[in-house]
Amino acid sequence: MPLENPFYTAEMQGAYELRSIGRFELDEGGVIEDLQLAVATYGTLNEAKNNAILIPTWFSGTHQTWEQAYIGPGRALDPERYFLVVVNQIGNGLSTSPHTTDDPSIAMSRFPQVRIGDDVRAQEILLRQEFGIERLALVVGGSMGAQQTWEWAVRFPDQVLRAAPIAGTAQNTPHDFLFTQTLMDAITSDPGWNGGEYGAAADVTHGLHRHADLWAVMGLTTDFWKTEFWRGISPVVEGLGWSTFAEFQQNFIRLLFGLMDPNALLTMGWKWQRGDVARNTGGDLAAALGRITATTYVMPIEQDMFFPPRDCEPEQRLTPNSELRMLHSVAGHFGLFGFEQSYLDEVDQHLSDLLAVER
Amino acid sequence: MPLENPFYTAEMQGAYELRSIGRFELDEGGVIEDLQLAVATYGTLNEAKNNAILIPTWFSGTHQTWEQAYIGPGRALDPERYFLVVVNQIGNGLSTSPHTTDDPSIAMSRFPQVRIGDDVRAQEILLRQEFGIERLALVVGGSMGAQQTWEWAVRFPDQVLRAAPIAGTAQNTPHDFLFTQTLMDAITSDPGWNGGEYGAAADVTHGLHRHADLWAVMGLTTDFWKTEFWRGISPVVEGLGWSTFAEFQQNFIRLLFGLMDPNALLTMGWKWQRGDVARNTGGDLAAALGRITATTYVMPIEQDMFFPPRDCEPEQRLTPNSELRMLHSVAGHFGLFGFEQSYLDEVDQHLSDLLAVER
């Protein structure tokens, strides 16, 4: 029986629709008999079906941040001009996930291993079957959304005209693998996790808090904390604010990540660790990136601690028709949340430039 | 009764002497009735007593790395020329520590909170009482050793002619505080820690391994892992090598940190979090650094993830008679271990330059 968790509802995340693509066989051998993707769309698909933009989601995230921070009239991602499709990744708590499925063969600890490539294949089916979309004006995503963006550009080069991976790599690094492992171990080391068979996410609160604490270090930056940037961030829960960095850590970061589902995070973490477009070319990264025909803007965030520019730049150099477009946020990787207008303006400028490239 | 732990012996760490400075009152109110400092010296104190160099130790470290990697004839830290005094920090497992003391009033969970300033005061007494040293040609230390170096230069400006804080700050940052907290929580979240009253360090192996895993992320760098630099590092235990990064993580990093004492690490962690020379000047960092009269070379390591150059540079700018001397290591903070000749050559060059400055 699915666990109730108010975090994974339209009330908390904003409206979305569940769209089934039926039986889906995963790369690692598992099967989801009825794969439901949680989809949010903005704008209208034109008759030529050439104004579609796909946005895959990041670790722990949903379509919500994209709706609230990146999409809007007059913005680069303009729903008056484009048909924007945000697809929540498999296992994120809205699409088919360990704690929400009513299929006992894949519930909780029995949820199969999912890869970035699985998400991309599922999205391709969804776009074709549900909307008749066979070519994308743009794929754009941040972090694990960037991993999916890279995978799209390599796996389906003829279907992606433009690609914008933000703060994410085509091939995950060992350093990043080890970081993600610490996130996962913070959860699984909590006795309340119980091998994935907890009775409620709250049983794993200690583990979820330790998981959140790691994000406070690697997700943010020394400048974020030193400048007390958190003073300007709005509380998630009204009345529950903060006046010290320790309170911000407790009432924002721990609170936010503490609402999430442990198995969902673990499903995404395992997937994140293994993002690698070179799986399409027998391990040859240069060959994989060489397949890309999309015009590609590679957009790292300067102070990002785990998808740093020094990991993104070599991939950009291997990608034909690509440019490096650096983003700047005092929040580092969490700049993705769109705390700063200056960061959002940079994103908009780069995406506008990219969308203006004739294809 | 003290716990036996072979890691904290002269066999493992190299020769040292225990020197008592008697009853010692700590800043936070605790008392160590008989504070014993583990001291290793190299070279001979001259008659003028003006050739002494003090080296305080870093988190989890001892005098050993200094002896093996930094000190030697013909090197900047030349025992044929200088009298080098390496003092192991309080609580590091060799100096008076929670698991080694036979004083039940401070054993294990009852060990008092120790501050960087306590170490520096204790070292000052030691140098004066044991050796009659009243002025230091140089204080040099890495990481928490740099914290102590900064504290020396601010607290006893007349006694420090030259200072070289390597990969450490004068005032700990909130980001670094949060990182250190994750290190400590990795240990204390292990049920085997038992509020500090474990029967053997091995009871806390899971926690020590998670602690080690965090070091693998923040102590090293993405380039270290990507370039497989670990292939060139010698095994700690003969025959126990590695051919993958996961094996290196297991057989080097987890093995090394897994040998340590949990309460010792926690004592040092608490101290590290609160390093702050501004405690000498009512919270005014500029005033504290302005007190320094030593010629000071501030030496961050370029890829250091938790004492990064961007945290060290502003402190250098506030310090009179100082220069920034950047170090480079693919191992980031763990460059301190001296894996690379190029890094050691840089350190030697900067320290030679500094020691050549007339004072």
Side-chain angles (χ1 to χ4, degrees):
Chain A
M1 216 174 71
L3 299 189
E4 282 192 28
N5 185 330
F7 186 72
Y8 300 105
T9 58
E11 289 70 43
M12 279 289 276
Q13 300 297 336
Y16 64 91
E17 285 179 75
L18 285 175
R19 307 254 186 163
S20 169
I21 63 163
R23 176 182 164 90
F24 191 76
E25 297 185 0
L26 298 157
D27 280 1
E28 290 292 311
V31 176
I32 298 176
E33 289 297 338
D34 178 28
L35 176 56
Q36 310 229 8
L37 296 174
V39 182
T41 65
Y42 310 90
T44 307
L45 185 62
N46 63 16
E47 283 205 21
K49 301 197 174 187
N50 65 4
N51 70 333
I53 293 177
L54 173 70
I55 305 174
T57 62
W58 57 63
F59 178 86
S60 87
T62 68
H63 56 284
Q64 187 175 48
T65 305
W66 286 94
E67 177 177 323
Q68 294 181 346
Y70 291 90
I71 295 172
R75 305 283 303 276
L77 302 179
D78 189 340
E80 294 177 356
R81 197 161 164 197
Y82 296 104
F83 180 58
L84 300 141
V85 186
V86 189
V87 184
N88 289 275
Q89 65 170 293
I90 301 167
N92 85 326
L94 298 181
S95 292
T96 299
S97 295
H99 75 283
T100 60
T101 180
D102 48 18
D103 176 352
S105 75
I106 59 167
M108 299 298 277
S109 65
R110 291 177 296 286
F111 203 76
Q113 290 166 335
V114 184
R115 282 189 173 272
I116 294 286
D118 292 321
D119 275 281
V120 168
R121 286 192 299 114
Q123 290 157 12
E124 197 271 343
I125 294 168
L126 173 91
L127 292 174
R128 202 158 24 83
Q129 290 186 351
E130 293 280 323
F131 305 108
I133 296 169
E134 299 198 333
R135 187 165 286 188
L136 290 159
L138 170 67
V139 183
V140 55
S143 198
M144 282 187 73
Q147 291 183 310
Q148 294 167 73
T149 299
W150 279 113
E151 181 73 21
W152 259 98
V154 170
R155 188 182 280 257
F156 300 119
D158 296 342
Q159 299 178 50
V160 182
L161 295 182
R162 300 173 193 83
I166 302 175
T169 52
Q171 181 177 65
N172 209 43
T173 66
H175 186 248
D176 204 31
F177 184 99
L178 289 164
F179 166 53
T180 316
Q181 192 63 45
T182 68
L183 291 174
M184 297 168 71
D185 291 348
I187 294 170
T188 59
S189 62
D190 185 334
W193 178 64
N194 189 30
E197 295 296 333
Y198 45 89
D203 297 350
V204 198
T205 296
H206 292 303
L208 290 172
H209 282 180
R210 288 199 300 276
H211 166 264
D213 293 346
L214 299 176
W215 280 111
V217 177
M218 288 289 284
L220 290 159
T221 69
T222 189
D223 283 355
F224 174 90
W225 292 105
K226 218 161 30 171
T227 60
E228 302 192 345
F229 185 88
W230 42 265
R231 291 196 185 275
I233 295 176
S234 302
V236 182
V237 174
E238 222 171 315
L240 196 61
W242 42 78
S243 61
T244 65
F245 78 84
E247 284 173 10
F248 175 75
Q249 172 63 9
Q250 187 67 37
N251 294 345
F252 184 87
I253 300 181
R254 282 187 163 196
L255 185 149
L256 179 65
F257 284 99
L259 298 172
M260 298 178 187
D261 180 75
N263 286 339
L265 295 173
L266 293 170
T267 298
M268 289 184 277
W270 192 93
K271 191 196 296 184
W272 163 7
Q273 289 180 303
R274 291 161 182 81
D276 183 4
V277 296
R279 287 170 53 82
N280 293 290
T281 49
D284 185 336
L285 179 63
L289 295 175
R291 288 176 54 163
I292 295 177
T293 57
T295 305
T296 303
Y297 283 6
V298 178
M299 295 161 69
I301 299 174
E302 195 194 18
Q303 287 196 54
D304 194 326
M305 295 191 70
F306 59 94
F307 286 121
R310 68 169 66 234
D311 285 338
C312 300
E313 287 160 357
E315 296 184 339
Q316 182 267 318
R317 288 195 293 271
L318 290 173
T319 305
N321 305 313
S322 71
E323 286 183 35
L324 189 88
R325 295 279 185 128
M326 191 75 80
L327 299 172
H328 302 85
S329 168
V330 76
H333 195 74
F334 279 9
L336 285 170
F337 284 115
F339 298 127
E340 300 143 296
Q341 191 57 46
S342 58
Y343 162 87
L344 292 170
D345 288 346
E346 284 183 349
V347 172
D348 272 14
Q349 184 62 56
H350 298 317
L351 292 183
S352 295
D353 290 354
L354 180 55
L355 285 163
V357 174
E358 287 293 333
R359 288 303 312 259
Chain B
M1 215 174 69
L3 299 189
E4 282 193 30
N5 185 331
F7 186 71
Y8 300 105
T9 58
E11 289 69 44
M12 279 289 276
Q13 301 297 336
Y16 62 92
E17 285 180 74
L18 285 176
R19 305 254 186 162
S20 169
I21 63 164
R23 176 183 164 90
F24 191 76
E25 297 185 1
L26 299 158
D27 280 0
E28 291 292 310
V31 176
I32 298 177
E33 290 297 338
D34 178 29
L35 177 54
Q36 311 230 8
L37 295 175
V39 182
T41 66
Y42 310 89
T44 308
L45 185 62
N46 63 16
E47 284 205 18
K49 300 197 174 188
N50 66 2
N51 71 332
I53 293 178
L54 173 69
I55 306 174
T57 62
W58 57 64
F59 178 88
S60 87
T62 69
H63 56 284
Q64 187 175 48
T65 305
W66 286 94
E67 176 177 324
Q68 294 181 346
Y70 292 91
I71 295 172
R75 305 283 302 277
L77 302 178
D78 188 340
E80 295 178 355
R81 197 163 165 195
Y82 297 104
F83 180 57
L84 300 142
V85 185
V86 188
V87 183
N88 288 274
Q89 66 170 292
I90 302 167
N92 87 326
L94 296 182
S95 293
T96 299
S97 295
H99 76 283
T100 61
T101 180
D102 47 19
D103 175 352
S105 74
I106 59 167
M108 299 298 277
S109 65
R110 291 178 295 288
F111 202 76
Q113 290 167 335
V114 185
R115 283 190 173 271
I116 294 287
D118 292 321
D119 275 282
V120 168
R121 285 192 300 115
Q123 289 158 12
E124 197 272 341
I125 294 168
L126 172 90
L127 292 175
R128 202 159 22 84
Q129 291 187 350
E130 294 279 323
F131 304 108
I133 296 170
E134 299 199 335
R135 188 164 286 187
L136 291 159
L138 170 68
V139 183
V140 55
S143 200
M144 283 187 74
Q147 291 183 311
Q148 294 167 73
T149 300
W150 279 113
E151 181 72 22
W152 259 98
V154 170
R155 187 182 281 256
F156 301 119
D158 296 342
Q159 299 177 49
V160 182
L161 295 183
R162 301 172 192 82
I166 303 175
T169 52
Q171 181 176 65
N172 209 41
T173 66
H175 186 247
D176 203 32
F177 184 99
L178 290 164
F179 166 53
T180 316
Q181 192 63 45
T182 67
L183 291 174
M184 296 168 72
D185 292 347
I187 293 169
T188 60
S189 63
D190 186 331
W193 179 64
N194 189 29
E197 295 295 334
Y198 45 90
D203 297 349
V204 199
T205 295
H206 292 303
L208 290 172
H209 282 179
R210 288 199 299 277
H211 166 264
D213 293 347
L214 299 175
W215 280 112
V217 177
M218 287 289 285
L220 291 160
T221 69
T222 188
D223 283 355
F224 174 90
W225 293 105
K226 218 162 30 171
T227 60
E228 302 190 345
F229 185 87
W230 43 264
R231 289 196 186 276
I233 295 177
S234 301
V236 182
V237 174
E238 220 171 317
L240 195 61
W242 41 78
S243 60
T244 66
F245 77 86
E247 283 173 9
F248 175 75
Q249 172 63 9
Q250 186 68 37
N251 294 346
F252 184 88
I253 300 182
R254 282 187 162 196
L255 185 149
L256 180 65
F257 285 99
L259 298 172
M260 298 178 187
D261 180 75
N263 287 340
L265 295 173
L266 294 170
T267 297
M268 289 184 276
W270 191 94
K271 190 195 298 183
W272 163 7
Q273 288 181 304
R274 289 162 183 81
D276 182 5
V277 295
R279 285 169 55 81
N280 293 291
T281 48
D284 186 336
L285 179 63
L289 295 175
R291 288 176 54 162
I292 295 176
T293 57
T295 305
T296 304
Y297 283 5
V298 177
M299 296 161 68
I301 300 174
E302 194 193 19
Q303 287 196 54
D304 193 326
M305 295 191 71
F306 60 94
F307 287 120
R310 68 169 66 233
D311 285 338
C312 300
E313 285 160 357
E315 296 184 340
Q316 182 267 318
R317 288 195 292 270
L318 290 173
T319 305
N321 305 314
S322 71
E323 285 183 36
L324 189 88
R325 296 279 185 125
M326 190 76 80
L327 300 172
H328 302 84
S329 168
V330 76
H333 194 74
F334 279 9
L336 285 170
F337 284 115
F339 297 127
E340 300 143 297
Q341 192 57 46
S342 58
Y343 161 87
L344 292 170
D345 288 346
E346 284 183 349
V347 171
D348 272 12
Q349 184 62 57
H350 298 317
L351 292 183
S352 294
D353 291 352
L354 179 56
L355 285 163
V357 174
E358 287 293 332
R359 287 302 314 258

